[in-house]
Structure formats: C-alpha cells, structure tokens
C-alpha cells in the first residue's frame, strides 16, 4: 500500500510561482503518478501525469508551458513546479498514483491512491 502526502500549496498573486510536492511512502508498483485539481463547483481535472513505463509526461493544455512535473526517484517525491500562475489555477490540488496500461491527464481510471490535497489560491 502506498500513501501520498502533498505539500506546498499557498496563496499567491497572479504571475507568481509555487512548487507542490507529493511524498510517496510504502511499497508501490504504480507506474502512473500525477496531479489533479478541483475548483469549487467544477469537475476534477488532470493537471500533469507521468507514466514511468514509457517515461512519458502529459500536461493539461491549460498549464502546458507553465507547469513542469519532475520526480526525485531516490526520495520518491513528485514535484509540480507551477510558474506564471493565473487566478483560474485556483483549486485544491491532489496527488494520485496507480497502475495502468495507459495513464494521462484525461484518463484518471488507473489512479487508485489519492492524497488529501493542498490548496492553491491565486489572486488577481
């Protein structure tokens, strides 16, 4: 069983930056790991996902070029660097992990383990 703990959420002004961290503990054979977000009144959406089987990175078009996913394999920490933040990035951000043949920001089915979330608030 793997456990995920997010950190790094904060309140920033538009144009600012944050780095979210997701520390994974416990045994894991998950190849999918990524970040999802949910704003009040909106559906959850994928932000950035890494598939370790293919070493492929997937980004939501809304964040591509502004957000970057990276992983410290030794420490088993997944990072989401968020630059040029916009008010529409305001949401609760969740780290998730799972196993699947195919995982991406538009396919959350493989993600069986979720963290509790960290709040990101961007003011204009």
């Amino acid at each position: 069983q793997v456990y995920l703990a997010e950190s790094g959420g904060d309140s920033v002004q538009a144009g600012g930056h944050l780095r979210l961290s997701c520390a994974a503990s416990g045994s894991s054979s998950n190849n999918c790991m990524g970040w999802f977000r949910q704003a009040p009144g909106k559906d959850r959406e994928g932000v950035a996902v890494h598939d370790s089987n293919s070493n492929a990175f997937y980004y939501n078009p809304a964040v591509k070029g502004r957000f970057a996913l990276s992983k410290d394999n030794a420490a088993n920490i997944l990072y989401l660097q968020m630059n040029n933040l916009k008010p529409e990035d305001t949401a609760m951000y969740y780290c998730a992990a799972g196993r699947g043949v195919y995982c991406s920001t538009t396919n959350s089915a493989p993600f069986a383990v979720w963290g509790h979330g960290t709040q990101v608030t961007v003011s204009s």
Side-chain angles (χ1 to χ4, degrees), residues 25-92:
S25 60
S27 60
S28 171
S29 58
N30 298 312
N31 61 295
C32 303
M33 201 164 179
W35 291 91
F36 292 77
R37 67 185 181 186
Q38 187 165 22
K42 294 189 177 181
D43 293 335
R44 185 181 64 196
E45 63 176 356
V47 177
V49 165
H50 177 241
D51 185 342
S52 62
N53 283 347
S54 59
N55 197 29
F57 292 84
Y58 301 94
Y59 292 95
N60 186 315
V63 307
K64 199 168 186 178
R66 299 187 297 122
F67 290 12
L69 201 58
S70 62
K71 191 174 182 185
D72 182 336
N73 288 314
N76 214 9
I77 299 175
L78 183 72
Y79 297 103
L80 181 67
Q81 178 67 43
M82 306 188 295
N83 298 324
N84 191 21
L85 283 160
K86 303 177 180 181
E88 51 264 42
D89 294 319
T90 295
M92 183 71 79

